[in-house]
Amino acid sequence: MLKTASFMLLIDPLFYISSIITILFCSFRFFFAQKFFVSGIGTTDLRALFQSVPYVSIVTVPLLVFRLRPIIFDDSVPFSPIRKFSSVLLSSFFAFAVPLLFLISVPVCVSSFGDVDAGQVASGFFGVLLYGLCALSLVIFLFAAIDFSPSIPLLVSILILAAVDFIHLVPLYLQIGSFLTFILQKISFAWHFDSFGKGIVDSRNLIFYAFSSVMFILLSVFAECRRTGKKISPVTVSLFAVIFLFSSLAFDRIYFRSDFTKTKRFSVSETSKSLVAKLSSPLRLTYYRSKELKELYPQSSDVSEYLQDFAEISSNVTFSLEKPDVEKLSRMKIQGQQIQSNSETRMEFVTVYSAVVIQYLEKQTIIPFVLSTSTLEYDLAQRIQQLVTENYRKVLVVEGNGRDVAESYSYVVPHLASRGFMPEIAHADDSLVEKINELSEKDELLVLGSSALTYEQANALREAFDRNVPAFVATSPYNVPVETEWQITKNKNDALLPILNSRGFAFGRNLVEDLSCFPVSMQSGEGSTAEYVTVNYPLWLSILPQEAAKQGMTVFWASPILLYGNTKPLITTTKYAWLQNETESEQLPFLTDPFSIPKSASASDAENGQYVVAATDGKITVLSDQYSTLSLMTGFISNDVAVDFRNYDFMCSQLLRLRGDGEIADLMEKTRVSNTLYKITDSEEFMDERFRTIALNFVVLPSFFVAAFVIIFVKRRRRIEK
């Protein structure tokens, strides 16, 4: 029976058409719909690929079952209905799985551009196969139940499959209440697939697909018995329904979640477990979440599930999910956030709460608003660490280049505070020396530039270095008036640079340029001829992902750092970088015009090399860029959707590591894996790989199915003629 059904699909054009549609649709949606090949937008995250399968299956799954309809209604088959429908399911499942196996070409091609998470690939393909098994079972049941026309069950199957795939999205547009929202999510096929696409195997979703597949096959058997007049005991049907209901409820409460991602992004780390093991008293986690938030942002369920998993690592940790009491939260100084809610007749803004309160002994701390698990473990761990040790991270922010931190570096202090630091701004005035002298080894320094520091202030910093006060210094030998023009001038009488030099950080009298650089959009021409053009600017370095900056970063007008002694490199350029040497001109020591600056080493008459732009000796980290966290520059490299905080995260990570909190820093970077297309920096090489990727997925693979059909068709025709 299985061989017969498989042969019917093998000789049918619908199988080959559906396979080609699957490959082309999924490849197009991944590579073009999400702009994979567009610089700064393309990502190696494969969720878009896996999420394409439920979309295309709305059409392809009913087409596969449609060809097997004669077997479904063949009453002369000498097998039991359960064996017949199982054979139909297995044969159509094999046909469903074949094009998916060919889609492995997508992660293979993507791996040429950036890092691909093998765990996500395995989990994603496992999930789409389970989804296919369930969808096929549903469609087989619909074909078995609708026995009066071949075309009607095909259309009904397409409509119902579309409904059960996306019914969980209804609460985003209609206010239907929490109970109905819960029901719609539970019956949605695509909603249960979401965790597989992330790299998580959740037993509740696995059981849903398995139980649903069995249920639909049994319903197909019941439909055939009704059609052929065979009697089924009502007790059997009732018993089956009760068993299914109670089994579903049991597995919904007793479950496991396995994180297959490379960095275990969705699991509690060993760092958190060791931190919780040091608790001497109970720790209570309370998550206040508005019911509207769960309806509008389903990912908030990940937060509650992660907090539940966090609480299960120790009996000393308890977790509770509560509805927000506005007055109570107001007393705790927790403010709600307004989010947009759309309905059929109006658009409105709803105030929602999503706050985590952490209580230990008589102390408490708060995560005021959280929507996802991206930094949740870090936020928990660093707050728990401070509650237990009462060791708070004081950071003195020094205005070393004369720029006002609150104005020019407006993101620095809020970002430090959001990462658990206690920043204090120190102006470059008479009180600076006294503030620096008060610092101990438990405190930290953040020095932004050095050109405005006096000898006394620089000497106070030297004494702080000698006292082993951890310090992050962002400075360079040159100054750029970024608000007006990009003409570089030399720092005169910079008192801090010789001190850094004596500790192993020497600055070259040149600027680093690189093929891996940031594209700048600027106005070219004047008047009626003016237009905006995008040019690569080699002086703005696009740092590729590396150990100290796992997501990469952007560095502006950096000089190379020459290391000696105990200093070690942290951030380096690509091997295609080169140096622009300082000229004797006091007015224009460097060429900085984005339009006229040479774009390669050969055009600059220079040699390629790899250069260090950030280094550390274990207590001091030096970044050769005082503009990396300047608000204006952050605006240049950010987009309309999100602010680029990679430079800030590098700063916070280094401040944590300098004070000995490297494991906590790892938690901050745990979920910030690199999904960028960093492996290919040469534009010609990128275009060649792009051409090979498109040719393989849009020409070679579809042509394979066309050729296979032609070969089988020709062979069958010759056999018939003989």
Side-chain angles (χ1 to χ4, degrees):
M1 186 60 143
L2 179 60
K3 289 168 64 177
T4 301
S6 300
F7 180 75
M8 290 177 66
L9 289 171
L10 190 63
I11 64 174
D12 193 280
L14 287 179
F15 163 66
Y16 298 93
I17 292 173
S18 64
S19 298
I20 293 173
I21 290 174
T22 299
I23 292 174
L24 290 179
F25 179 85
C26 295
S27 299
F28 177 84
R29 193 165 183 265
F30 180 81
F31 287 114
F32 292 104
Q34 71 162 1
K35 301 178 180 179
F36 176 81
F37 298 111
V38 178
S39 176
I41 299 179
T43 174
T44 60
D45 190 340
L46 295 169
R47 269 181 282 185
L49 171 67
F50 300 127
Q51 290 169 352
S52 302
V53 176
Y55 284 95
V56 73
S57 297
I58 293 173
V59 175
T60 59
V61 165
L63 287 178
L64 293 175
V65 179
F66 177 77
R67 184 64 186 90
L68 301 178
R69 188 175 183 273
I71 295 181
I72 294 176
F73 290 101
D74 188 353
D75 298 331
S76 65
V77 174
F79 299 115
S80 64
I82 189 68
R83 296 181 67 182
K84 180 175 74 172
F85 286 113
S86 297
S87 298
V88 172
L89 174 62
L90 288 177
S91 59
S92 57
F93 176 72
F94 293 151
F96 173 84
V98 168
L100 296 182
L101 296 178
F102 279 84
L103 279 177
I104 197 69
S105 64
V106 174
V108 170
C109 292
V110 170
S111 65
S112 299
F113 294 90
D115 295 331
V116 173
D117 194 322
Q120 184 190 34
V121 173
S123 172
F125 277 107
F126 179 61
V128 295
L129 290 175
L130 286 175
Y131 163 84
L133 193 68
C134 186
L136 287 165
S137 302
L138 169 62
V139 174
I140 289 171
F141 161 64
L142 294 174
F143 270 84
I146 305 174
D147 57 356
F148 48 86
S149 171
S151 58
I152 296 299
L154 179 64
L155 296 175
V156 171
S157 299
I158 292 175
L159 293 175
I160 292 182
L161 196 55
V164 296
D165 269 353
F166 307 112
I167 199 169
H168 65 283
L169 300 177
V170 171
L172 298 180
Y173 307 99
L174 298 175
Q175 296 182 357
I176 59 175
S178 57
F179 177 74
L180 281 178
T181 299
F182 172 79
I183 296 298
L184 295 184
Q185 289 176 346
K186 287 300 181 183
I187 64 176
S188 169
F189 286 9
W191 188 83
H192 285 278
F193 171 74
D194 184 63
S195 63
F196 289 104
K198 295 176 182 177
I200 303 172
V201 174
D202 191 319
S203 64
R204 291 169 295 182
N205 299 325
L206 194 155
I207 293 298
F208 169 81
Y209 285 131
F211 269 42
S212 298
S213 300
V214 172
M215 179 188 72
F216 289 130
I217 291 300
L218 292 178
L219 288 175
S220 301
V221 174
F222 294 157
E224 174 160 317
C225 291
R226 179 187 60 81
R227 180 177 60 83
T228 57
K230 295 181 180 179
K231 294 184 179 180
I232 300 177
S233 171
V235 177
T236 302
V237 177
S238 303
L239 186 60
F240 165 73
V242 170
I243 292 175
F244 181 82
L245 175 63
F246 281 97
S247 298
S248 300
L249 293 174
F251 282 113
D252 201 50
R253 286 162 174 76
I254 304 173
Y255 64 91
F256 67 85
R257 285 164 57 90
S258 296
D259 185 354
F260 282 84
T261 58
K262 182 178 180 181
T263 59
K264 304 299 180 184
R265 285 182 284 167
F266 306 101
S267 304
V268 182
S269 67
E270 292 299 323
T271 300
S272 295
K273 292 178 181 178
S274 62
L275 187 63
V276 168
K278 298 177 183 178
L279 296 174
S280 58
S281 299
L283 178 84
R284 180 176 177 81
L285 303 175
T286 307
Y287 181 31
Y288 295 95
R289 183 184 66 192
S290 302
K291 64 178 183 180
E292 297 89 352
L293 188 68
K294 185 178 179 182
E295 297 171 4
L296 297 173
Y297 288 90
Q299 61 267 35
S300 63
S301 298
D302 294 339
V303 176
S304 59
E305 290 178 354
Y306 183 85
L307 291 172
Q308 181 66 50
D309 292 343
F310 194 93
E312 290 177 357
I313 65 177
S314 171
S315 58
N316 257 347
V317 183
T318 59
F319 166 70
S320 61
L321 175 64
E322 297 185 10
K323 296 180 180 179
D325 184 326
V326 177
E327 294 183 2
K328 180 180 179 180
L329 296 183
S330 179
R331 290 194 298 268
M332 290 190 288
K333 299 182 179 180
I334 297 176
Q335 296 181 346
Q337 301 287 330
Q338 285 194 330
I339 59 175
Q340 184 175 312
S341 174
N342 298 325
S343 64
E344 291 182 342
T345 57
R346 62 180 178 176
M347 179 185 72
E348 61 182 354
F349 288 90
V350 181
T351 301
V352 297
Y353 293 86
S354 181
V356 180
V357 178
I358 308 169
Q359 297 169 307
Y360 182 69
L361 297 176
E362 297 178 353
K363 299 170 289 186
Q364 77 173 27
T365 184
I366 297 169
I367 303 175
F369 194 77
V370 57
L371 270 183
S372 69
T373 59
S374 59
T375 61
L376 182 57
E377 183 171 13
Y378 170 79
D379 292 333
L380 287 172
Q382 62 96 359
R383 283 170 168 80
I384 293 173
Q385 184 191 55
Q386 290 182 0
L387 286 177
V388 175
T389 63
E390 296 185 351
N391 185 11
Y392 299 100
R393 305 185 184 99
K394 178 183 176 182
V395 178
L396 188 67
V397 184
V398 179
E399 297 175 344
N401 56 12
R403 293 177 176 272
D404 184 83
V405 169
E407 181 179 347
S408 298
Y409 293 90
S410 58
Y411 291 121
V412 168
V413 170
H415 197 83
L416 287 170
S418 70
R419 292 291 181 259
F421 294 93
M422 298 179 62
E424 177 188 354
I425 299 176
H427 303 288
D429 53 24
D430 296 337
S431 64
L432 178 57
V433 172
E434 181 181 352
K435 290 181 178 179
I436 294 175
N437 290 336
E438 292 175 354
L439 298 176
S440 67
E441 292 184 28
K442 295 182 179 180
D443 304 317
E444 288 187 277
L445 274 164
L446 173 59
V447 183
L448 301 174
S450 58
S451 58
L453 295 173
T454 65
Y455 174 80
E456 290 76 14
Q457 293 166 345
N459 191 57
L461 288 173
R462 179 187 62 78
E463 292 176 354
F465 298 159
D466 293 337
R467 296 196 306 272
N468 290 324
V469 176
F472 182 93
V473 182
T475 189
S476 63
Y478 305 102
N479 182 56
V480 184
V482 295
E483 293 84 1
T484 56
E485 57 183 356
W486 294 350
Q487 297 297 336
I488 296 178
T489 57
K490 305 174 186 178
N491 290 350
K492 295 182 179 179
N493 303 319
D494 194 316
L496 184 61
L497 294 186
I499 295 174
L500 295 175
N501 196 342
S502 67
R503 302 186 71 92
F505 305 94
F507 292 89
R509 306 302 296 187
N510 10 55
L511 294 179
V512 181
E513 301 183 67
D514 201 339
L515 277 180
S516 177
C517 58
F518 190 83
V520 182
S521 296
M522 302 191 69
Q523 180 176 314
S524 175
E526 297 180 357
S528 60
T529 62
E531 61 177 351
Y532 278 92
V533 296
T534 299
V535 295
N536 289 335
Y537 192 37
L539 288 171
W540 287 8
L541 312 178
S542 288
I543 302 299
L544 301 183
Q546 43 199 278
E547 185 60 31
K550 289 185 170 59
Q551 285 192 303
M553 57 190 296
T554 305
V555 178
F556 310 96
W557 300 294
S559 294
I561 301 178
L562 311 176
L563 309 179
Y564 60 92
N566 296 323
T567 54
K568 298 179 180 179
L570 277 179
I571 301 295
T572 59
T573 65
T574 70
K575 60 183 179 180
Y576 301 105
W578 66 96
L579 297 178
Q580 181 183 162
N581 295 322
E582 178 185 306
T583 66
E584 296 181 357
S585 172
E586 290 291 333
Q587 300 296 327
L588 298 172
F590 296 100
L591 177 62
T592 59
D593 185 2
F595 295 104
S596 59
I597 189 172
K599 303 299 191 293
S600 66
S602 58
S604 303
D605 195 21
E607 294 183 359
N608 287 122
Q610 193 168 27
Y611 302 96
V612 178
V613 293
T616 186
D617 65 358
K619 276 298 181 180
I620 302 174
T621 291
V622 176
L623 173 65
S624 178
D625 173 19
Q626 57 189 299
Y627 306 106
S628 61
T629 53
L630 197 71
S631 306
L632 181 63
M633 308 313 295
T634 302
F636 270 115
I637 62 176
S638 300
N639 55 43
D640 297 335
V641 178
V643 179
D644 188 342
F645 281 125
R646 294 179 300 163
N647 293 352
Y648 298 81
D649 284 340
F650 171 73
M651 174 187 69
C652 292
S653 174
Q654 287 303 306
L655 287 171
L656 287 168
R657 296 182 190 282
L658 291 172
R659 63 181 291 115
D661 285 338
E663 292 182 344
I664 300 295
D666 289 337
L667 294 183
M668 185 177 68
E669 299 170 348
K670 175 182 174 183
T671 57
R672 299 187 179 278
V673 296
S674 173
N675 291 322
T676 58
L677 314 185
Y678 74 92
K679 289 186 177 180
I680 303 177
T681 56
D682 183 73
S683 58
E684 292 185 3
E685 184 182 353
F686 186 92
M687 294 303 294
D688 290 342
E689 192 62 39
R690 178 178 181 269
F691 174 79
R692 286 191 289 268
T693 298
I694 293 175
L696 174 62
N697 293 280
F698 293 91
V699 179
V700 175
L701 295 185
S703 298
F704 172 83
F705 283 94
V706 173
F709 173 72
V710 171
I711 292 172
I712 291 176
F713 176 79
V714 171
K715 285 188 174 182
R716 290 191 70 244
R717 185 172 181 179
R718 288 178 178 176
R719 182 174 297 179
I720 291 173
E721 290 176 352
K722 289 181 179 180

